[in-house]
Amino acid sequence: MPNLDPDPFFSEWTHRRPGQVRSLDRAAALLHGLGLDSARAPVLGVVGSKGKGSTATYAAAALSAAGLRTVLVTGPSFRSYRERVRVDGVSVSDGELRRLGEEVESARRELVPAEREGGYLAPSGLFLVAGLLHARAVGADVCVLEAGMGGHRDELQLLGPEVVALGMVFAEHLGVLGDTVTEIAREKTRVASAERTRALVTLPQTTEVAPVVEQALAEATGGRLAPEVVDPGTEGAEPPVELRPAGLSAASGVLGTAAAARMLEVLGRPPAEAGRLRSVLATVGLPARLSGHTVPGGAAEVVVDSAIDRVGVAAALSHARSLWGGVDHVLLCLPDHKDVSGAVAVLADLPVTAVRLPEAHLRFDHGLPAHWGRMEAEELSPAAVAALGARVLALGTVYFTGRVLEVLDAPTDRLFDAG
């Protein structure tokens, strides 16, 4: 990521010892030291297996459309760590993030050293803390905070979000968050707080997951709450189809908008005027979620999507074909822990170049079709992309799609126009 020393957010993660895990107790102590455990802006928290960034973005846009000053924290970033914290859809400046990093680091140094406590402060949690600090600095009315991969074991749980938006729960992170999809659903639902949470808004879950969500929410809130289901297929659901994100993210747009409406109720604020809401949602752009770009110089068009499994790859391919009528080439970057076999099944007969990333913790040993091309991520350039054809589909992990957006000089600092 350019133009910023990220050390305040990554120092403990970078120096963690083998077997050391993130420490929520340490994060709680940091929040207390900064006064964020008792005095903070109201929080809409977003959890789920997929689509959290899209949900959070639409929720923030809907809240900004209602006139609330909204701080949005998402992750991971694409071109700059500044993207992790935004006000009304716009990234903070380098100077603002540097100031936030200094404030976080100053408070961190007041804690017992990590090597003595046994756990570390996770980067995603520290960006969340930075977002809360910035919300306080700018007098924000509300925060929309995207969880990391977890829920009950995520720093978001320490805050007890007033409203929780729960996306679809899949068998993502099996063996990390749980050994079954129901265990994962329970983990994510338990981000809710007995003291503060007023509502959990969810997409329709599978018959296996839905009762687990209901039970876990009842346990977490002392029986106060039941899930509030928003069905994108219901007539009149906002936003209308033409204003929803493309592809699989469409349901996330509906969930985010509904969660924002519920948050306004909790805050006692009037809903956004319908025309105003739709005009703001019409400006939403989601980088690397079926986002369209032109190679600098206009030599080729590129659709970029962070698809990591068979379903996502198939949906992205269908979108590109409907947009262009065909695809000249696919750039694909999936480490071995993603659904490489599923992607191969969908793309096997197409011209594909498989890209390898340099990150040491990622493995790229899965067998690929012999006729596919090979490329190192460092070889990506506008000329290299344009040489693949006039219509290029770039798919894969966010480490890769961020690099593609950088190569394309794609705008990522503004997610929506709050007017």
Side-chain angles (χ1 to χ4, degrees):
M1 299 289 173
N3 304 323
L4 180 69
D5 175 6
D7 187 66
F9 301 100
F10 291 85
S11 59
E12 292 196 6
W13 181 83
T14 301
H15 297 101
R16 71 197 187 282
R17 301 185 303 274
Q20 194 175 22
V21 297
R22 70 198 297 165
S23 171
L24 290 192
D25 288 342
R26 190 167 177 76
L30 182 68
L31 287 167
H32 179 72
L34 290 165
L36 293 171
D37 55 343
S38 56
R40 60 157 178 80
V43 169
L44 191 165
V46 181
V47 297
S49 297
K50 296 182 185 296
K52 294 191 299 293
S54 301
T55 299
T57 298
Y58 268 73
L63 289 166
S64 292
L68 277 65
R69 192 166 207 192
T70 305
V71 165
L72 170 65
V73 178
T74 57
S77 46
F78 292 103
R79 298 189 61 186
S80 168
Y81 291 114
R82 296 184 294 100
E83 300 164 13
R84 302 291 289 263
V85 181
R86 302 174 187 263
V87 179
D88 291 331
V90 179
S91 301
V92 296
S93 66
D94 282 344
E96 286 171 325
L97 190 55
R98 188 172 294 110
R99 174 187 60 78
L100 291 169
E102 291 170 353
E103 194 169 353
V104 169
E105 178 66 6
S106 177
R108 187 188 72 82
R109 289 177 177 171
E110 296 296 319
L111 303 179
V112 175
E115 55 269 21
R116 286 169 51 190
E117 273 204 336
Y120 64 87
L121 291 168
S124 60
L126 292 179
F127 279 112
L128 182 149
V129 171
L132 292 172
L133 285 172
H134 197 57
R136 185 165 67 188
V138 302
D141 299 300
V142 65
C143 292
V144 178
L145 307 179
E146 177 188 347
M149 72 170 68
H152 184 64
R153 286 173 283 181
D154 192 274
E155 289 81 1
L156 180 61
Q157 186 269 340
L158 299 173
L159 301 174
E162 278 78 3
V163 172
V164 176
L166 175 63
M168 291 298 296
V169 178
F170 298 106
E172 182 83 355
H173 303 118
L174 279 176
V176 179
L177 297 180
D179 294 329
T180 65
V181 70
T182 54
E183 289 180 6
I184 293 172
R186 180 175 175 80
E187 155 72 19
K188 292 182 181 295
T189 303
R190 291 172 65 221
V191 75
S193 160
E195 295 78 23
R196 278 181 153 164
T197 303
R198 301 279 300 279
L200 182 143
V201 183
T202 177
L203 288 173
Q205 303 290 342
T206 65
T207 55
E208 180 183 20
V209 167
V212 175
V213 170
E214 183 173 6
Q215 180 182 7
L217 181 61
E219 292 173 0
T221 62
R224 287 190 301 109
L225 300 179
E228 301 174 17
V229 180
V230 54
D231 186 348
T234 301
E235 185 176 353
E238 289 285 350
V241 172
E242 63 272 17
L243 295 183
R244 298 176 188 179
L248 299 178
S249 295
S252 298
V254 175
L255 175 61
T257 305
R262 192 66 177 89
M263 188 68 173
L264 290 169
E265 292 179 5
V266 167
L267 297 177
R269 302 288 290 262
E273 188 274 324
R276 164 76 175 157
L277 174 64
R278 293 184 177 185
S279 68
V280 172
L281 295 184
T283 69
V284 172
L286 300 171
R289 296 177 181 91
L290 295 178
S291 57
H293 310 277
T294 302
V295 174
E301 294 182 6
V302 184
V303 167
V304 183
D305 191 66
S306 299
I308 57 171
D309 60 17
R310 177 193 300 259
V311 175
V313 169
L317 181 60
S318 175
H319 174 81
R321 283 172 167 164
S322 66
L323 180 68
W324 294 325
V327 174
D328 295 321
H329 207 96
V330 178
L331 280 170
L332 178 72
C333 180
L334 289 182
D336 291 346
H337 66 283
K338 302 300 184 183
D339 184 16
V340 183
S341 298
V344 169
V346 174
L347 302 172
D349 296 330
L350 293 170
V352 178
T353 294
V355 182
R356 293 173 57 97
L357 291 165
E359 281 77 9
H361 67 286
L362 299 177
R363 294 286 178 266
F364 293 87
D365 300 323
H366 196 287
L368 300 174
H371 67 277
W372 281 15
R374 306 293 192 274
M375 177 186 290
E376 299 298 324
E378 293 88 340
E379 300 175 61
L380 284 170
S381 68
V385 175
L388 299 174
R391 304 167 300 181
V392 178
L393 179 61
L395 304 174
T397 179
V398 291
Y399 291 101
F400 167 67
T401 54
R403 283 177 177 260
V404 174
L405 293 175
E406 182 72 20
V407 165
L408 300 177
D409 194 25
T412 56
D413 273 335
R414 182 183 291 275
L415 295 180
F416 57 87
D417 186 355

